[in-house]
Amino acid sequence: MSKIEINNIYKIFGNKPDSIMPMVQDGATKDEVLEQTGHTVGLDNVSLNIEEGETFVCMGLSGSGKSTLIRHLNRLIDPTAGEILIDGENVMSFNPEQLIDFRRHKMSMVFQRFGLFPHKTVMQNVGYGLEMQGKSEEERDKVAMEKIEAVGLNGFENQFPNQLSGGMQQRVGLARALATNSDIMLMDEAFSALDPLIRSDMQKQLIDLQSELKKTIVFITHDLDESLRLGDHIGILNAGKLVQVGTPVDIIMNPADDYVKAFVKDVNRAKVIKAKIIMTNANETNGIDKSNLVKVNEDQFIEEFLPQIVCTNANCEVVDKSGNTKGYITNKELQSSLTKS
Ligand SMILES: Nc1ncnc2c1ncn2[C@@H]1O[C@H](COP(=O)(O)OP(=O)(O)O)[C@@H](O)[C@H]1O
Ligand SMILES: [Mg+2]
């Protein structure tokens, strides 16, 4: 069973969405529907599965339907047609109390504009979700402090948001989402408002946190590099249609159409592909020469170890955080992963 299952979701915005459904199902495009009926197609027959513990990135140009999709997951939006199952449960079947409980415990959200309370301290902001869960102040502060440390903000717990930089404010947002211990985290353009260097730091931090936490993360972005860095799988939306779902390597190597091709054209592969993405699993590599191995972490990007591998002509042994061997990348595979088109 997938953690999140989205089956044939349509979302049409306008006065009479149901009456427009036949036209959309007959294949009318978003532009045609808008011109002829004044309705906007938000999502057009989107189906996808998101597995427990993965980071699923939903990517597409502005207006392609990314926010509409993510808002279906916590039922900020109801679909015109189709179903959403989370842990096998149809979210449309929840009564109001179940829905509140579901939003408080199962999912947390990180917003693009941080969404912090200006008059609450960092500690109070981070503990907010726990307050909603009815936890005591003592417990809130204890968990909040843990999460503040996890995002590298110790010492700032009694500051107010406007005393912090944008990057730090988003760390507070991230800590707040982590504090409720929900198993699903929704992040809608969470890093898009940050300067490039800070953004890159936040991506790295999320990858580090996720390698321990293994939450199910649905991350939205219009930035291909970001989606390739973060995503175990990436779904690409164009005008409400899901045009491709795949691993970062699938997307780069086999773009499904011209829209995806235009995205991947200029990508720097070494910057966005992680060791684990191109490794061959340990149990399938009997033939590999293990005399000259360099250990690399599964979550390292190719650019971080490429020079060493090229200089020493070594093969890579890919290990996890605890040093267990997960797989291997031969020198040859490494080089061809960078040049194949
Ligand atoms: N509440 C709404 N009412 C009418 N149209 C909407 C509404 N929300 C989104 N849309 C339209 O649906 C499409 C997808 O929007 P959105 O999901 O916000 O895109 P993205 O997040 O990818 O930028 C856009 O054409 C947008 O104008
Ligand atoms: Mg959006």
Side-chain angles (χ1 to χ4, degrees):
M1 186 175 75
S2 295
K3 187 78 182 170
I4 301 173
E5 204 178 311
I6 296 171
N7 293 323
N8 307 100
I9 289 286
Y10 291 83
K11 179 64 187 181
I12 298 164
F13 295 103
N15 293 333
K16 290 186 172 164
D18 289 326
S19 70
I20 310 299
M21 273 297 287
M23 184 178 172
V24 176
Q25 283 173 316
D26 267 358
T29 66
K30 177 169 168 157
D31 287 343
E32 288 164 355
V33 172
L34 184 63
E35 196 177 290
Q36 290 170 35
T37 74
H39 287 68
T40 301
V41 179
L43 294 172
D44 184 349
N45 198 14
V46 170
S47 297
L48 58 88
N49 287 2
I50 299 176
E51 306 306 326
E52 172 137 42
E54 78 165 323
T55 302
F56 188 97
V57 176
C58 185
M59 200 205 48
L61 296 177
S62 174
S64 58
K66 306 179 298 290
S67 295
T68 303
L69 182 65
I70 211 171
R71 286 179 193 147
H72 278 87
L73 300 180
N74 55 3
R75 269 200 66 190
L76 291 175
I77 294 184
D78 288 347
T80 307
E83 62 172 12
I84 297 119
L85 306 177
I86 295 188
D87 288 324
E89 272 189 291
N90 187 338
V91 300
M92 293 303 290
S93 71
F94 293 151
N95 64 32
E97 288 90 63
Q98 287 172 315
L99 187 58
I100 289 173
D101 190 64
F102 169 80
R103 286 186 185 146
R104 280 185 189 159
H105 294 275
K106 194 82 138 198
M107 289 199 186
S108 50
M109 250 193 130
V110 184
F111 303 92
Q112 177 170 2
R113 294 280 160 198
F114 323 140
L116 303 178
F117 296 105
H119 303 298
K120 289 185 192 279
T121 63
V122 166
M123 180 100 101
Q124 289 163 343
N125 267 289
V126 175
Y128 180 74
L130 297 166
E131 196 178 336
M132 290 295 99
Q133 289 178 356
K135 300 276 161 56
S136 72
E137 189 172 352
E138 191 188 357
E139 192 176 350
R140 270 155 30 207
D141 288 355
K142 179 171 162 283
V143 176
M145 215 37 236
E146 260 171 50
K147 302 306 171 191
I148 287 168
E149 276 168 28
V151 300
L153 280 183
N154 9 352
F156 294 91
E157 56 273 11
N158 296 319
Q159 304 256 26
F160 290 91
N162 67 4
Q163 297 174 287
L164 306 178
S165 69
M168 290 162 88
Q169 290 186 51
Q170 194 54 305
R171 284 174 198 275
V172 177
L174 188 56
R176 177 176 60 188
L178 294 172
T180 60
N181 201 25
S182 63
D183 28 315
I184 301 175
M185 210 153 79
L186 307 179
M187 304 179 72
D188 190 349
E189 304 266 10
F191 301 157
S192 300
L194 305 174
D195 293 334
L197 286 179
I198 306 216
R199 185 170 184 170
S200 170
D201 280 354
M202 289 297 288
Q203 292 164 352
K204 196 76 191 148
Q205 170 125 51
L206 184 63
I207 292 165
D208 286 350
L209 286 167
Q210 172 68 344
S211 75
E212 277 174 29
L213 297 171
K214 302 278 183 217
K215 293 198 178 281
T216 307
I217 299 179
V218 186
F219 191 102
I220 283 187
T221 179
H222 60 267
D223 183 88
L224 179 73
D225 280 9
E226 185 163 76
S227 56
L228 295 168
R229 285 175 74 98
L230 297 177
D232 294 304
H233 288 96
I234 300 167
I236 301 185
L237 281 169
N238 181 14
K241 283 198 167 83
L242 188 67
V243 292
Q244 185 167 12
V245 180
T247 64
V249 169
D250 294 336
I251 304 281
I252 295 173
M253 301 296 176
N254 304 303
D257 63 9
D258 289 345
Y259 177 79
V260 184
K261 267 189 203 141
F263 271 112
V264 306
K265 190 165 55 80
D266 297 320
V267 73
N268 176 347
R269 293 173 186 188
K271 246 191 164 60
V272 296
I273 300 180
K274 281 186 218 160
K276 68 177 175 194
I277 304 237
I278 52 168
M279 73 181 183
T280 309
N281 285 331
N283 52 13
E284 296 160 19
T285 50
N286 294 327
I288 194 175
D289 173 12
K290 294 180 184 162
S291 61
N292 185 14
L293 288 175
V294 167
K295 272 198 176 100
V296 303
N297 183 278
E298 59 180 348
D299 283 317
Q300 274 185 295
F301 292 101
I302 291 178
E303 71 170 1
E304 297 171 46
F305 56 85
L306 182 68
Q308 194 187 359
I309 301 294
V310 172
C311 294
T312 57
N313 206 27
N315 295 325
C316 302
E317 177 183 2
V318 183
V319 298
D320 65 14
K321 260 207 160 125
S322 333
N324 304 312
T325 305
K326 306 291 282 202
Y328 297 92
I329 310 167
T330 66
N331 200 282
K332 231 170 118 188
E333 282 169 342
L334 187 63
Q335 313 235 9
S336 74
S337 72
L338 296 177
T339 54
K340 234 184 271 167
S341 63

